[in-house]
Amino acid sequence: MKVLPTLAEGSVDLVVTSPPYNLGINYRSFDDTAGRAEFIEWCKAWAAELKRVLTDDGSFFLNVGAAPANPLMPHQIVLAFTEGPGALFTLQNTFHWIKSITVETRGGEQISAGHFKPINSQRFVNDCHEYVFHLTKSGNVKLDRRAAGVPYQDKSNIARWGHTGGVDKRCRGNTWFIPYDTIKSRENDRPHPASFPIALVEQCIRLHGKGEETRLLDPFLGIGSSAVAAKRQGVKEFTGIELDDYYLSVTKDRLEEPVA
């Protein structure tokens, strides 16, 4: 709330971020235990600044998770942003970031992939996904669906469906299986209690469709996954805001590493 007001109006094409979830997570420099109403009002305050700096055809991808005992929080945040006389955005798409999944192949084999945090409970099942809400000013922002797409499983569909134009790539849809990278040491490899994968941000960059001309903002930078994604995608301009000096130093170190 100190830095955002210094950014020029309409100076950002794309926002991808994951704010604190108000679930009591142990951040180094932020108290994640505000009252519900206080937390929602704080979210609306920074969201209003994001609307100001975002272009009219810009996209705001908001990653929010929940605790099993507090499942409504993501929906309460997005409702606060999109409903009522002070509505800031329109909810254009809802994506489900799948961290871990088990699927059955056509041959009947079950395959499990990804990572999740086991829950020791007789009431709740393991939580293997989070939300990514795609918010825009108008609800009518065009996306590059194929840039974030996948090849056809059945190649005969390429010729069968006229809208393909002969291209072997289709819209991925709103379920994104993006697992965390396997790590050996959380302290060394992921020194942040609630980071998201670089690939998640890259998917948002591709989908928004401006490529290298993208001006990307992450107001809750953490250890810089969005900054690394911007570097990998060669975007024109990146701005990150971070409260904690240590997390910021980790970001700078990550940016010095060769692009994978």
Side-chain angles (χ1 to χ4, degrees):
M1 293 308 295
K2 293 181 179 179
V3 177
L4 276 177
T6 69
L7 303 184
E9 182 175 345
S11 61
V12 172
D13 305 299
L14 176 63
V15 176
V16 184
T17 199
S18 182
Y21 298 169
N22 201 41
L23 298 176
I25 292 175
N26 185 25
Y27 297 103
R28 288 170 44 90
S29 305
F30 181 80
D31 182 3
D32 195 38
T33 58
R36 180 65 55 89
E38 179 186 356
F39 176 73
I40 294 294
E41 288 303 311
W42 174 70
C43 288
K44 289 170 65 176
W46 53 255
E49 281 297 315
L50 293 185
K51 180 180 180 180
R52 183 186 64 81
V53 303
L54 198 64
T55 59
D56 288 342
D57 63 346
S59 287
F60 169 24
F61 289 90
L62 174 67
N63 166 226
V64 187
N70 190 14
L72 293 179
M73 174 57 76
H75 308 287
Q76 289 173 323
I77 293 174
V78 80
L79 285 172
F81 289 178
T82 59
E83 292 198 349
L88 300 168
F89 294 100
T90 296
L91 179 61
Q92 186 166 322
N93 289 284
T94 298
F95 299 93
H96 301 269
W97 166 28
I98 310 301
K99 303 177 183 181
S100 176
I101 193 169
T102 299
V103 297
E104 185 170 322
T105 69
R106 293 178 178 181
E109 179 186 5
Q110 285 196 343
I111 299 175
S112 295
H115 303 276
F116 62 91
K117 183 179 180 180
I119 295 174
N120 184 17
S121 171
Q122 293 183 325
R123 294 189 296 155
F124 304 119
V125 299
N126 292 328
D127 191 2
C128 299
H129 100 295
E130 294 188 12
Y131 296 96
V132 179
F133 297 115
H134 173 221
L135 300 156
T136 62
K137 291 184 178 182
S138 65
N140 194 33
V141 172
K142 293 182 178 180
L143 301 173
D144 190 345
R145 307 196 315 162
R146 281 183 178 165
V150 294
Y152 281 90
Q153 177 72 26
D154 296 310
K155 303 304 181 184
S156 62
N157 289 330
I158 302 171
R160 182 182 301 122
W161 295 341
H163 68 268
T164 68
V167 177
D168 185 13
K169 188 168 280 190
R170 64 169 178 81
C171 173
R172 183 183 298 261
N174 65 353
T175 52
W176 293 355
F177 173 57
I178 304 177
Y180 281 110
D181 292 334
T182 301
I183 60 175
K184 295 180 179 179
S185 167
R186 182 174 184 89
E187 181 179 354
N188 295 326
D189 298 332
R190 197 184 299 150
H192 188 281
S195 61
F196 51 28
I198 298 167
L200 183 71
V201 185
E202 289 185 294
Q203 185 73 347
C204 297
I205 294 171
R206 295 187 193 101
L207 187 62
H208 187 58
K210 290 189 178 292
E212 295 181 355
E213 295 301 309
T214 304
R215 296 171 296 175
L216 173 62
L217 167 67
D218 184 350
F220 298 95
L221 182 61
I223 57 173
S225 294
S226 54
V228 177
K231 181 180 179 181
R232 287 185 180 180
Q233 294 294 311
V235 305
K236 179 179 180 179
E237 181 179 315
F238 175 80
T239 302
I241 302 171
E242 175 51 46
L243 179 69
D244 188 274
D245 289 339
Y246 173 65
Y247 293 154
L248 190 60
S249 71
V250 173
T251 296
K252 292 177 179 178
D253 289 342
R254 295 177 78 189
L255 288 172
E256 292 298 322
E257 298 173 357
V259 175

